Amino acid sequence: MKSTNEIISNLKKHQSSTPSKWRENAEWRIANKSWLRYSQHIAMMMLDKMEELKMNQKQLSELMGCSQQYISKVLKGQENLSLETLSKIERCLKIQILSLNHSA
């Protein structure tokens, strides 16, 4: 069995030279929790519909007029989506994301 010093020495060999951003990332997720929840819900709606339509990210990106990389970011549920983007998603996937209640 290795000694504590040997274990620490071995861990230090594999330590990254750049500091971890874990704390900053965790703080960001906590600060943005409310809209992230919506973004993740939208991503799940999109993935379900894309699966139903047998559509991949590249096909959706072409329909929406954006890059496949952007679609990938959206589908990770961490994009703060604009109304314009939400509208494009609704149109291209034929789903309703936003629901507006108008009182007369």
Side-chain angles (χ1 to χ4, degrees):
M1 187 151 97
K2 292 184 177 183
S3 71
T4 304
N5 287 339
E6 289 174 317
I7 293 170
I8 291 172
S9 175
N10 196 24
L11 288 172
K12 285 185 178 182
K13 287 179 190 174
H14 299 285
Q15 182 177 347
S16 175
S17 59
T18 58
S20 172
K21 295 196 183 238
W22 180 88
R23 178 177 292 280
E24 291 87 355
N25 291 338
E27 289 170 350
W28 180 84
R29 284 191 307 275
I30 290 168
N32 294 285
K33 184 178 180 178
S34 61
W35 72 260
L36 279 170
R37 194 171 331 133
Y38 289 118
S39 185
Q40 291 162 354
H41 180 72
I42 292 166
M44 292 305 299
M45 289 174 66
M46 291 174 66
L47 286 166
D48 288 345
K49 189 64 174 187
M50 288 170 67
E51 184 177 326
E52 179 185 317
L53 297 172
K54 297 179 178 18
M55 181 183 292
N56 62 34
Q57 292 181 18
K58 180 80 173 143
Q59 291 167 321
L60 181 56
S61 71
E62 289 169 357
L63 282 174
M64 288 182 55
C66 63
S67 70
Q68 184 272 326
Q69 291 81 3
Y70 181 70
I71 297 298
S72 176
K73 289 168 106 179
V74 171
L75 293 175
K76 288 179 183 173
Q78 296 183 345
E79 277 298 299
N80 193 353
L81 303 168
S82 69
L83 290 173
E84 179 182 11
T85 300
L86 290 170
S87 178
K88 285 180 182 180
I89 293 168
E90 288 181 325
R91 179 179 45 82
C92 293
L93 292 178
K94 295 177 179 43
I95 59 175
Q96 183 176 356
I97 297 169
L98 299 176
S99 175
L100 301 175
N101 293 325
H102 297 282
S103 56

XYZ file of all heavy atoms in Angstrom:
848
model
N 0.846 -1.183 0.000
C 0.000 0.000 0.000
C 0.889 1.243 0.000
O 1.892 1.308 0.690
C -0.905 -0.012 1.226
C -1.903 1.082 1.183
S -3.427 0.693 2.042
C -3.154 1.448 3.595
N 0.489 2.243 -0.769
C 1.271 3.477 -0.889
C 1.078 4.351 0.339
O 0.001 4.396 0.919
C 0.865 4.262 -2.134
C 1.240 3.582 -3.424
C 0.898 4.456 -4.599
C 1.339 3.798 -5.880
N 1.090 4.629 -7.038
N 2.116 5.098 0.649
C 2.024 6.037 1.766
C 1.277 7.287 1.316
O 1.099 7.542 0.119
C 3.424 6.420 2.247
O 4.052 7.254 1.287
N 0.853 8.070 2.288
C 0.142 9.320 1.997
C 1.000 10.241 1.141
O 0.505 10.850 0.187
C -0.253 10.019 3.311
O -1.026 9.114 4.089
C -1.048 11.277 3.050
N 2.279 10.322 1.445
C 3.185 11.188 0.667
C 3.295 10.723 -0.782
O 3.348 11.548 -1.701
C 4.564 11.244 1.318
C 4.568 12.082 2.582
O 3.691 12.919 2.788
N 5.554 11.845 3.433
N 3.327 9.397 -0.997
C 3.399 8.874 -2.359
C 2.118 9.183 -3.136
O 2.170 9.542 -4.316
C 3.625 7.354 -2.327
C 5.011 6.950 -1.876
C 5.139 5.446 -1.710
O 4.215 4.818 -1.148
O 6.176 4.912 -2.173
N 1.002 9.060 -2.466
C -0.284 9.355 -3.107
C -0.366 10.828 -3.485
O -0.727 11.176 -4.609
C -1.465 8.957 -2.184
C -1.510 7.439 -2.024
C -2.788 9.478 -2.749
C -2.473 6.947 -0.961
N 0.007 11.699 -2.574
C -0.007 13.151 -2.839
C 0.940 13.493 -3.975
O 0.603 14.268 -4.870
C 0.318 13.946 -1.560
C -0.841 13.800 -0.564
C 0.580 15.418 -1.882
C -0.553 14.369 0.809
N 2.127 12.887 -3.970
C 3.103 13.127 -5.030
C 2.541 12.691 -6.381
O 2.691 13.398 -7.382
C 4.390 12.373 -4.722
O 5.301 12.494 -5.787
N 1.890 11.541 -6.420
C 1.299 11.040 -7.664
C 0.180 11.955 -8.148
O 0.058 12.237 -9.345
C 0.792 9.613 -7.451
C 0.531 8.895 -8.753
O 1.107 9.228 -9.780
N -0.337 7.910 -8.719
N -0.660 12.433 -7.234
C -1.734 13.355 -7.596
C -1.173 14.654 -8.163
O -1.708 15.203 -9.130
C -2.627 13.644 -6.392
C -3.543 12.505 -5.949
C -4.220 12.850 -4.631
C -4.578 12.202 -7.015
N -0.099 15.159 -7.554
C 0.506 16.415 -8.030
C 1.063 16.279 -9.442
O 1.076 17.245 -10.196
C 1.586 16.880 -7.060
C 1.003 17.467 -5.793
C 2.070 18.031 -4.884
C 1.407 18.646 -3.656
N 2.391 19.254 -2.763
N 1.515 15.073 -9.811
C 2.024 14.839 -11.167
C 0.923 15.040 -12.212
O 1.181 15.436 -13.331
C 2.577 13.419 -11.297
C 3.879 13.182 -10.595
C 4.300 11.738 -10.782
C 5.472 11.390 -9.882
N 5.803 9.952 -9.959
N -0.309 14.737 -11.819
C -1.437 14.814 -12.750
C -2.249 16.094 -12.588
O -3.255 16.278 -13.270
C -2.351 13.597 -12.570
C -1.650 12.302 -12.852
N -1.358 11.891 -14.129
C -1.157 11.353 -12.026
C -0.729 10.743 -14.077
N -0.594 10.384 -12.812
N -1.802 16.950 -11.706
C -2.509 18.215 -11.458
C -2.370 19.146 -12.657
O -1.303 19.274 -13.247
C -1.919 18.874 -10.209
C -2.567 20.157 -9.802
C -1.964 20.713 -8.508
O -1.243 20.021 -7.817
N -2.254 21.947 -8.222
N -3.449 19.802 -12.999
C -3.443 20.741 -14.117
C -2.643 21.988 -13.746
O -2.650 22.422 -12.599
C -4.876 21.129 -14.467
O -4.886 22.119 -15.452
N -2.000 22.565 -14.737
C -1.231 23.790 -14.491
C -2.141 25.017 -14.392
O -1.757 26.037 -13.856
C -0.204 24.002 -15.603
O -0.869 24.105 -16.849
N -3.352 24.896 -14.917
C -4.307 26.006 -14.825
C -5.276 25.749 -13.672
O -5.686 24.616 -13.449
C -5.114 26.171 -16.130
O -5.792 24.946 -16.404
C -4.215 26.528 -17.293
N -5.635 26.799 -12.949
C -6.543 26.607 -11.816
C -7.941 26.192 -12.289
O -8.382 26.555 -13.374
C -6.581 27.974 -11.132
C -6.034 28.938 -12.111
C -5.205 28.171 -13.101
N -8.605 25.426 -11.461
C -9.956 24.959 -11.780
C -10.943 26.115 -11.729
O -10.829 27.019 -10.911
C -10.379 23.897 -10.764
O -11.735 23.571 -10.946
N -11.919 26.066 -12.619
C -12.968 27.086 -12.632
C -14.258 26.504 -12.074
O -15.335 27.031 -12.305
C -13.176 27.600 -14.052
C -11.963 28.330 -14.575
C -12.308 29.149 -15.776
C -11.053 29.786 -16.303
N -11.092 31.185 -16.357
N -14.137 25.405 -11.338
C -15.302 24.733 -10.795
C -16.153 25.673 -9.959
O -17.353 25.761 -10.135
C -14.872 23.520 -9.950
C -16.038 22.807 -9.372
C -16.750 21.800 -9.961
C -16.686 23.069 -8.126
N -17.782 21.415 -9.149
C -17.767 22.185 -8.009
C -16.463 23.965 -7.093
C -18.612 22.155 -6.910
C -17.304 23.947 -5.992
C -18.368 23.055 -5.912
N -15.531 26.402 -9.040
C -16.279 27.295 -8.152
C -16.998 28.380 -8.945
O -18.174 28.645 -8.715
C -15.371 27.930 -7.110
C -16.119 28.902 -6.188
C -15.232 29.491 -5.102
N -14.804 28.530 -4.134
C -15.568 28.097 -3.109
N -16.785 28.535 -2.984
N -15.111 27.224 -2.255
N -16.302 29.000 -9.897
C -16.918 30.050 -10.698
C -18.097 29.503 -11.493
O -19.143 30.142 -11.590
C -15.898 30.695 -11.648
C -14.834 31.513 -10.964
C -13.623 30.697 -10.525
O -13.633 29.444 -10.668
O -12.668 31.289 -10.012
N -17.923 28.298 -12.065
C -19.007 27.682 -12.833
C -20.203 27.365 -11.945
O -21.350 27.594 -12.336
C -18.524 26.412 -13.538
C -17.546 26.712 -14.660
O -17.518 27.814 -15.191
N -16.737 25.741 -15.010
N -19.940 26.849 -10.753
C -21.025 26.531 -9.820
C -21.758 27.798 -9.396
O -22.995 27.829 -9.331
C -20.470 25.795 -8.610
N -21.019 28.861 -9.112
C -21.638 30.132 -8.718
C -22.485 30.699 -9.859
O -23.559 31.238 -9.641
C -20.575 31.132 -8.265
C -19.960 30.771 -6.928
C -18.747 31.605 -6.564
O -18.233 32.373 -7.420
O -18.291 31.470 -5.412
N -21.994 30.567 -11.094
C -22.734 31.054 -12.262
C -24.047 30.285 -12.405
O -25.099 30.874 -12.641
C -21.883 30.894 -13.523
C -22.572 31.376 -14.757
C -22.627 32.652 -15.231
C -23.343 30.577 -15.676
N -23.374 32.695 -16.392
C -23.823 31.443 -16.678
C -23.655 29.229 -15.740
C -24.600 30.999 -17.730
C -24.443 28.783 -16.790
C -24.903 29.663 -17.775
N -23.983 28.937 -12.245
C -25.207 28.121 -12.352
C -26.217 28.500 -11.276
O -27.417 28.561 -11.548
C -24.870 26.627 -12.271
C -24.273 26.072 -13.549
C -24.193 24.554 -13.539
N -23.512 24.014 -12.378
C -22.195 23.860 -12.261
N -21.415 24.221 -13.251
N -21.661 23.342 -11.176
N -25.753 28.767 -10.073
C -26.654 29.165 -8.982
C -27.288 30.521 -9.295
O -28.496 30.701 -9.143
C -25.903 29.193 -7.638
C -25.554 27.758 -7.215
C -26.720 29.892 -6.561
C -24.572 27.667 -6.071
N -26.479 31.464 -9.763
C -26.974 32.815 -10.067
C -27.963 32.822 -11.235
O -28.838 33.685 -11.299
C -25.804 33.753 -10.368
N -27.846 31.866 -12.131
C -28.681 31.825 -13.337
C -29.673 30.666 -13.324
O -30.210 30.293 -14.373
C -27.781 31.746 -14.576
C -26.964 32.994 -14.743
O -27.477 34.027 -15.146
N -25.691 32.934 -14.400
N -29.935 30.135 -12.165
C -30.758 28.931 -12.023
C -32.140 29.064 -12.662
O -32.613 28.153 -13.335
C -30.896 28.588 -10.542
C -31.638 27.320 -10.267
C -31.678 27.038 -8.772
C -32.426 25.765 -8.480
N -32.433 25.467 -7.051
N -32.789 30.213 -12.480
C -34.172 30.340 -12.953
C -34.274 30.230 -14.474
O -35.095 29.468 -14.992
C -34.796 31.637 -12.462
O -34.088 32.746 -12.952
N -33.472 30.978 -15.223
C -33.590 30.884 -16.678
C -32.952 29.615 -17.219
O -33.373 29.097 -18.263
C -33.071 32.127 -17.391
C -31.594 32.356 -17.407
C -30.887 33.186 -16.606
C -30.632 31.764 -18.298
N -29.550 33.139 -16.924
C -29.366 32.274 -17.964
C -30.718 30.843 -19.337
C -28.198 31.904 -18.615
C -29.549 30.468 -19.997
C -28.315 30.996 -19.631
N -31.959 29.041 -16.516
C -31.370 27.782 -16.959
C -32.401 26.659 -16.944
O -32.412 25.791 -17.816
C -30.176 27.394 -16.082
C -28.853 28.081 -16.399
C -27.825 27.791 -15.317
C -28.338 27.668 -17.765
N -33.283 26.687 -15.949
C -34.338 25.680 -15.856
C -35.217 25.730 -17.113
O -35.546 24.702 -17.703
C -35.178 25.920 -14.601
C -36.064 24.768 -14.224
C -36.709 24.944 -12.871
N -35.907 25.754 -11.971
C -36.392 26.757 -11.238
N -37.659 27.056 -11.273
N -35.614 27.459 -10.451
N -35.593 26.938 -17.539
C -36.392 27.091 -18.762
C -35.611 26.624 -19.988
O -36.157 25.947 -20.855
C -36.829 28.541 -18.953
C -37.873 28.997 -17.976
C -37.598 30.037 -17.094
C -39.131 28.404 -17.917
C -38.550 30.465 -16.179
C -40.088 28.829 -17.013
C -39.792 29.853 -16.143
O -40.721 30.279 -15.249
N -34.352 26.998 -20.056
C -33.527 26.630 -21.198
C -33.391 25.110 -21.308
O -33.460 24.544 -22.405
C -32.146 27.286 -21.058
O -31.365 27.036 -22.196
N -33.237 24.445 -20.175
C -33.133 22.987 -20.180
C -34.456 22.346 -20.594
O -34.471 21.360 -21.336
C -32.692 22.495 -18.802
C -31.259 22.879 -18.490
C -30.918 22.808 -17.009
O -31.780 22.574 -16.167
N -29.649 23.028 -16.698
N -35.555 22.915 -20.140
C -36.877 22.403 -20.525
C -37.080 22.546 -22.039
O -37.574 21.614 -22.703
C -37.969 23.148 -19.752
C -39.347 22.699 -20.067
N -39.854 21.493 -19.654
C -40.327 23.290 -20.792
C -41.093 21.361 -20.100
N -41.402 22.444 -20.791
N -36.709 23.678 -22.585
C -36.821 23.911 -24.034
C -35.942 22.918 -24.793
O -36.362 22.344 -25.802
C -36.465 25.369 -24.387
C -37.543 26.304 -23.833
C -36.277 25.550 -25.893
C -37.160 27.760 -23.811
N -34.729 22.701 -24.304
C -33.823 21.748 -24.950
C -34.448 20.355 -24.988
O -34.365 19.660 -26.011
C -32.478 21.714 -24.214
N -35.098 19.942 -23.906
C -35.735 18.627 -23.880
C -36.909 18.565 -24.871
O -37.082 17.557 -25.561
C -36.213 18.282 -22.470
C -35.082 18.049 -21.486
S -33.893 16.795 -22.023
C -34.929 15.358 -22.154
N -37.694 19.649 -24.954
C -38.782 19.698 -25.932
C -38.229 19.553 -27.346
O -38.788 18.821 -28.180
C -39.540 21.028 -25.821
C -40.381 21.187 -24.584
S -41.095 22.850 -24.465
C -42.215 22.861 -25.853
N -37.148 20.273 -27.615
C -36.535 20.228 -28.939
C -36.024 18.825 -29.259
O -36.250 18.310 -30.358
C -35.382 21.227 -29.021
C -35.804 22.675 -28.997
S -34.387 23.799 -28.922
C -33.618 23.477 -30.526
N -35.321 18.218 -28.316
C -34.774 16.881 -28.545
C -35.878 15.858 -28.805
O -35.743 15.012 -29.696
C -33.916 16.454 -27.344
C -32.560 17.144 -27.243
C -31.950 16.926 -25.864
C -31.621 16.653 -28.340
N -36.962 15.959 -28.041
C -38.093 15.043 -28.254
C -38.667 15.200 -29.657
O -38.920 14.216 -30.357
C -39.189 15.285 -27.211
C -38.812 14.798 -25.821
O -37.846 14.019 -25.686
O -39.480 15.224 -24.849
N -38.867 16.448 -30.072
C -39.451 16.709 -31.397
C -38.486 16.310 -32.510
O -38.906 15.741 -33.538
C -39.851 18.180 -31.506
C -40.644 18.487 -32.743
C -41.985 17.750 -32.752
C -42.828 18.185 -33.940
N -44.162 17.635 -33.916
N -37.198 16.596 -32.312
C -36.207 16.218 -33.321
C -36.167 14.698 -33.492
O -36.049 14.200 -34.610
C -34.828 16.759 -32.940
C -34.702 18.265 -33.095
S -33.177 18.904 -32.370
C -31.959 18.174 -33.482
N -36.271 13.977 -32.383
C -36.286 12.517 -32.453
C -37.531 12.041 -33.210
O -37.443 11.169 -34.074
C -36.275 11.927 -31.041
C -36.193 10.420 -31.009
C -36.120 9.875 -29.595
O -35.524 10.532 -28.721
O -36.682 8.799 -29.375
N -38.672 12.644 -32.888
C -39.923 12.302 -33.565
C -39.817 12.538 -35.070
O -40.287 11.738 -35.881
C -41.061 13.145 -32.976
C -42.413 12.912 -33.593
C -43.451 13.885 -33.037
O -43.472 14.117 -31.818
O -44.231 14.418 -33.846
N -39.190 13.653 -35.453
C -39.038 14.006 -36.874
C -37.828 13.350 -37.536
O -37.588 13.560 -38.721
C -38.919 15.537 -37.010
C -40.116 16.366 -36.575
C -39.769 17.848 -36.587
C -41.325 16.061 -37.450
N -37.052 12.611 -36.743
C -35.803 12.002 -37.230
C -34.888 13.072 -37.828
O -34.320 12.908 -38.906
C -36.083 10.876 -38.217
C -36.845 9.714 -37.596
C -37.137 8.636 -38.581
C -37.855 7.428 -38.040
N -38.558 7.455 -36.820
N -34.769 14.174 -37.101
C -33.992 15.324 -37.551
C -32.715 15.422 -36.709
O -32.755 15.247 -35.501
C -34.828 16.601 -37.378
C -34.125 17.867 -37.849
S -35.123 19.356 -37.536
C -36.470 19.114 -38.666
N -31.603 15.709 -37.375
C -30.361 15.898 -36.629
C -30.048 17.391 -36.474
O -30.752 18.244 -37.015
C -29.198 15.130 -37.284
C -28.888 15.609 -38.691
O -29.016 16.799 -39.006
N -28.480 14.689 -39.556
N -29.005 17.674 -35.726
C -28.633 19.062 -35.444
C -28.298 19.827 -36.720
O -28.667 20.989 -36.863
C -27.433 19.104 -34.494
C -27.743 18.626 -33.105
C -26.542 18.701 -32.190
O -25.574 19.408 -32.470
N -26.592 17.984 -31.084
N -27.624 19.189 -37.634
C -27.240 19.844 -38.889
C -28.487 20.259 -39.674
O -28.565 21.380 -40.186
C -26.361 18.891 -39.709
C -25.898 19.447 -41.030
C -24.732 20.364 -40.849
C -24.175 20.768 -42.195
N -23.735 22.142 -42.206
N -29.471 19.371 -39.749
C -30.699 19.682 -40.485
C -31.440 20.848 -39.825
O -31.929 21.747 -40.517
C -31.598 18.450 -40.542
C -31.032 17.347 -41.408
C -31.757 16.026 -41.206
O -32.120 15.666 -40.091
N -31.957 15.291 -42.303
N -31.523 20.838 -38.502
C -32.193 21.932 -37.812
C -31.445 23.242 -38.013
O -32.053 24.281 -38.244
C -32.347 21.623 -36.320
C -33.062 22.697 -35.492
C -34.446 23.017 -36.046
C -33.140 22.274 -34.030
N -30.123 23.181 -37.958
C -29.343 24.414 -38.142
C -29.565 25.012 -39.526
O -29.643 26.229 -39.677
C -27.848 24.153 -37.898
O -27.283 23.385 -38.934
N -29.707 24.165 -40.534
C -29.962 24.655 -41.892
C -31.342 25.306 -41.982
O -31.494 26.360 -42.595
C -29.826 23.509 -42.897
C -28.382 23.065 -43.078
C -28.232 21.773 -43.861
O -29.259 21.152 -44.246
O -27.068 21.364 -44.076
N -32.335 24.697 -41.337
C -33.686 25.276 -41.336
C -33.717 26.626 -40.612
O -34.412 27.547 -41.020
C -34.677 24.328 -40.654
C -35.172 23.133 -41.449
C -36.018 22.229 -40.564
C -35.966 23.588 -42.657
N -32.970 26.714 -39.519
C -32.977 27.937 -38.712
C -32.021 29.005 -39.230
O -32.093 30.154 -38.811
C -32.641 27.609 -37.250
C -33.771 26.889 -36.529
S -33.407 26.557 -34.794
C -33.006 28.184 -34.168
N -31.104 28.626 -40.114
C -30.143 29.589 -40.645
C -29.059 29.942 -39.636
O -28.665 31.106 -39.514
N -28.602 28.939 -38.896
C -27.526 29.162 -37.916
C -26.546 27.998 -38.012
O -26.737 27.081 -38.807
C -28.099 29.301 -36.503
S -28.944 27.828 -35.910
N -25.532 28.023 -37.182
C -24.535 26.957 -37.230
C -24.972 25.742 -36.406
O -25.757 25.860 -35.465
C -23.188 27.462 -36.700
O -23.271 27.684 -35.296
N -24.434 24.603 -36.767
C -24.696 23.382 -36.018
C -24.133 23.520 -34.603
O -24.701 23.000 -33.646
C -24.083 22.180 -36.746
C -24.374 20.833 -36.106
C -23.362 20.441 -35.054
O -22.184 20.746 -35.160
N -23.820 19.757 -34.042
N -23.039 24.262 -34.462
C -22.440 24.473 -33.142
C -23.397 25.223 -32.227
O -23.480 24.931 -31.035
C -21.102 25.236 -33.265
C -19.990 24.444 -33.908
C -20.045 24.425 -35.434
O -20.888 25.049 -36.071
N -19.140 23.678 -36.040
N -24.132 26.192 -32.785
C -25.096 26.938 -31.980
C -26.232 26.026 -31.529
O -26.657 26.066 -30.371
C -25.650 28.148 -32.741
C -26.628 28.942 -31.909
C -26.187 29.681 -30.821
C -27.995 28.903 -32.172
C -27.080 30.382 -30.025
C -28.890 29.608 -31.391
C -28.421 30.343 -30.320
O -29.308 31.026 -29.520
N -26.719 25.180 -32.427
C -27.779 24.228 -32.065
C -27.286 23.319 -30.948
O -28.014 23.033 -29.997
C -28.240 23.397 -33.292
C -28.867 24.307 -34.356
C -29.194 22.290 -32.882
C -30.111 25.044 -33.908
N -26.057 22.879 -31.040
C -25.472 22.033 -30.001
C -25.490 22.747 -28.644
O -25.851 22.143 -27.625
C -24.032 21.656 -30.381
O -23.433 20.911 -29.351
N -25.141 24.024 -28.640
C -25.164 24.808 -27.395
C -26.584 24.928 -26.849
O -26.812 24.785 -25.650
C -24.586 26.205 -27.633
C -23.090 26.233 -27.862
C -22.660 27.595 -28.361
C -21.958 28.381 -27.302
N -21.524 29.700 -27.777
N -27.538 25.165 -27.734
C -28.940 25.281 -27.319
C -29.409 23.970 -26.702
O -30.070 23.956 -25.660
C -29.841 25.684 -28.514
C -31.315 25.579 -28.146
C -29.506 27.097 -28.985
N -29.038 22.852 -27.319
C -29.487 21.548 -26.861
C -28.798 21.097 -25.566
O -29.224 20.144 -24.935
C -29.298 20.494 -27.960
C -30.196 20.694 -29.180
C -29.853 19.689 -30.275
C -31.665 20.606 -28.801
N -27.774 21.816 -25.174
C -27.154 21.555 -23.859
C -27.950 22.236 -22.752
O -27.699 22.011 -21.575
C -25.702 22.034 -23.845
C -24.791 21.165 -24.678
C -23.385 21.680 -24.661
C -22.518 20.809 -25.571
N -21.171 21.359 -25.717
N -28.901 23.092 -23.149
C -29.766 23.736 -22.165
C -29.102 24.836 -21.379
O -29.504 25.140 -20.262
N -28.092 25.469 -21.975
C -27.385 26.532 -21.263
C -27.297 27.821 -22.070
O -26.441 28.656 -21.816
C -25.988 26.062 -20.862
C -26.039 24.914 -19.889
C -24.678 24.484 -19.423
O -23.666 24.825 -19.997
N -24.654 23.718 -18.359
N -28.197 27.975 -23.025
C -28.225 29.198 -23.833
C -29.379 30.083 -23.388
O -30.493 29.606 -23.199
C -28.395 28.870 -25.318
C -27.119 28.507 -26.026
C -26.097 29.611 -26.047
O -26.372 30.697 -26.597
O -25.006 29.407 -25.504
N -29.111 31.361 -23.232
C -30.139 32.345 -22.913
C -30.753 32.775 -24.249
O -30.202 33.607 -24.952
C -29.522 33.518 -22.166
C -30.551 34.412 -21.543
O -31.745 34.247 -21.757
N -30.098 35.374 -20.774
N -31.861 32.147 -24.609
C -32.442 32.288 -25.939
C -33.237 33.580 -26.101
O -33.995 33.967 -25.213
C -33.359 31.100 -26.215
C -32.687 29.727 -26.105
C -33.723 28.621 -26.104
C -31.682 29.537 -27.213
N -33.079 34.211 -27.257
C -33.841 35.421 -27.569
C -35.228 35.024 -28.053
O -35.476 33.869 -28.435
C -33.130 36.220 -28.661
O -33.193 35.523 -29.897
N -36.140 35.979 -28.059
C -37.477 35.726 -28.598
C -37.397 35.333 -30.069
O -38.156 34.480 -30.539
C -38.360 36.958 -28.418
C -38.763 37.262 -26.977
C -39.486 38.595 -26.898
C -39.623 36.153 -26.413
N -36.491 35.952 -30.785
C -36.312 35.621 -32.209
C -35.915 34.156 -32.372
O -36.475 33.436 -33.205
C -35.247 36.524 -32.831
C -34.980 36.226 -34.290
C -33.884 37.094 -34.888
O -33.169 37.791 -34.134
O -33.749 37.052 -36.121
N -34.974 33.701 -31.570
C -34.527 32.308 -31.657
C -35.646 31.356 -31.250
O -35.862 30.333 -31.904
C -33.279 32.087 -30.784
O -32.232 32.945 -31.245
C -32.798 30.645 -30.845
N -36.368 31.699 -30.191
C -37.494 30.865 -29.768
C -38.525 30.741 -30.886
O -39.053 29.659 -31.145
C -38.142 31.436 -28.504
C -37.317 31.317 -27.232
C -37.949 32.133 -26.112
C -37.164 29.867 -26.826
N -38.787 31.834 -31.557
C -39.743 31.831 -32.660
C -39.259 30.933 -33.806
O -40.044 30.188 -34.394
C -39.955 33.260 -33.152
O -40.831 33.283 -34.238
N -37.980 30.997 -34.118
C -37.419 30.151 -35.182
C -37.519 28.676 -34.803
O -37.853 27.840 -35.644
C -35.950 30.511 -35.436
C -35.750 31.799 -36.186
C -34.269 32.058 -36.392
C -34.015 33.370 -37.094
N -32.571 33.608 -37.301
N -37.237 28.364 -33.542
C -37.334 26.977 -33.081
C -38.770 26.483 -33.225
O -39.014 25.389 -33.741
C -36.852 26.843 -31.619
C -35.346 27.122 -31.518
C -37.193 25.463 -31.057
C -34.840 27.306 -30.097
N -39.722 27.310 -32.776
C -41.133 26.937 -32.879
C -41.531 26.685 -34.332
O -42.204 25.701 -34.640
C -42.022 28.035 -32.287
C -41.976 28.121 -30.782
C -42.878 29.203 -30.219
O -43.031 30.274 -30.861
O -43.427 28.990 -29.129
N -41.116 27.584 -35.215
C -41.482 27.469 -36.633
C -40.858 26.227 -37.268
O -41.538 25.462 -37.945
C -41.042 28.726 -37.387
C -41.348 28.711 -38.876
C -40.927 29.985 -39.577
N -39.611 30.489 -39.223
C -38.467 30.030 -39.755
N -38.472 29.068 -40.645
N -37.307 30.563 -39.389
N -39.582 26.012 -37.020
C -38.866 24.908 -37.676
C -39.266 23.537 -37.141
O -39.300 22.564 -37.895
C -37.361 25.103 -37.537
S -36.766 26.544 -38.457
N -39.557 23.459 -35.853
C -39.920 22.169 -35.270
C -41.431 21.994 -35.124
O -41.892 20.931 -34.716
C -39.246 21.999 -33.903
C -37.729 21.837 -33.916
C -37.187 21.729 -32.498
C -37.319 20.622 -34.736
N -42.164 23.056 -35.440
C -43.633 23.028 -35.311
C -44.048 22.625 -33.892
O -44.833 21.694 -33.693
C -44.248 22.110 -36.360
C -44.025 22.608 -37.777
C -44.580 21.642 -38.790
C -44.426 22.087 -40.220
N -43.203 22.672 -40.646
N -43.464 23.345 -32.933
C -43.809 23.154 -31.523
C -44.145 24.509 -30.922
O -43.771 25.548 -31.471
C -42.667 22.496 -30.706
C -41.383 23.339 -30.752
C -42.426 21.075 -31.167
C -40.259 22.822 -29.874
N -44.857 24.490 -29.820
C -45.156 25.733 -29.109
C -44.331 25.762 -27.832
O -44.433 24.866 -26.998
C -46.639 25.839 -28.772
C -46.975 27.162 -28.106
C -48.461 27.331 -27.845
O -49.265 26.499 -28.212
N -48.807 28.421 -27.199
N -43.520 26.784 -27.709
C -42.686 26.959 -26.530
C -43.294 28.029 -25.634
O -43.482 27.828 -24.443
C -41.233 27.350 -26.914
C -40.591 26.210 -27.712
C -40.423 27.681 -25.682
C -39.278 26.568 -28.357
N -43.624 29.149 -26.258
C -44.201 30.267 -25.516
C -45.715 30.234 -25.595
O -46.285 29.932 -26.628
C -43.712 31.605 -26.082
C -42.218 31.864 -26.027
C -41.887 33.173 -26.712
C -41.729 31.873 -24.598
N -46.335 30.590 -24.500
C -47.780 30.682 -24.470
C -48.135 32.030 -23.827
O -47.771 32.292 -22.687
C -48.377 29.549 -23.635
O -49.764 29.703 -23.525
N -48.793 32.864 -24.602
C -49.163 34.191 -24.110
C -50.650 34.221 -23.795
O -51.475 33.853 -24.631
C -48.826 35.258 -25.157
C -47.357 35.344 -25.571
C -47.183 36.345 -26.695
C -46.497 35.734 -24.388
N -50.963 34.642 -22.605
C -52.369 34.793 -22.213
C -52.733 36.259 -22.324
O -52.168 37.096 -21.637
C -52.589 34.303 -20.782
C -52.387 32.815 -20.652
O -52.721 32.064 -21.569
N -51.834 32.380 -19.543
N -53.663 36.560 -23.194
C -54.127 37.929 -23.380
C -55.469 38.097 -22.673
O -56.377 37.318 -22.883
C -54.308 38.260 -24.876
C -53.033 38.184 -25.652
N -52.100 39.171 -25.610
C -52.559 37.239 -26.482
C -51.081 38.848 -26.397
N -51.343 37.667 -26.922
N -55.569 39.100 -21.829
C -56.868 39.373 -21.206
C -57.441 40.618 -21.846
O -56.777 41.631 -22.002
C -56.718 39.543 -19.700
O -55.786 40.549 -19.414
N -58.687 40.529 -22.222
C -59.322 41.643 -22.942
C -60.002 42.590 -22.002
O -60.341 42.341 -20.916
C -60.316 41.106 -23.935
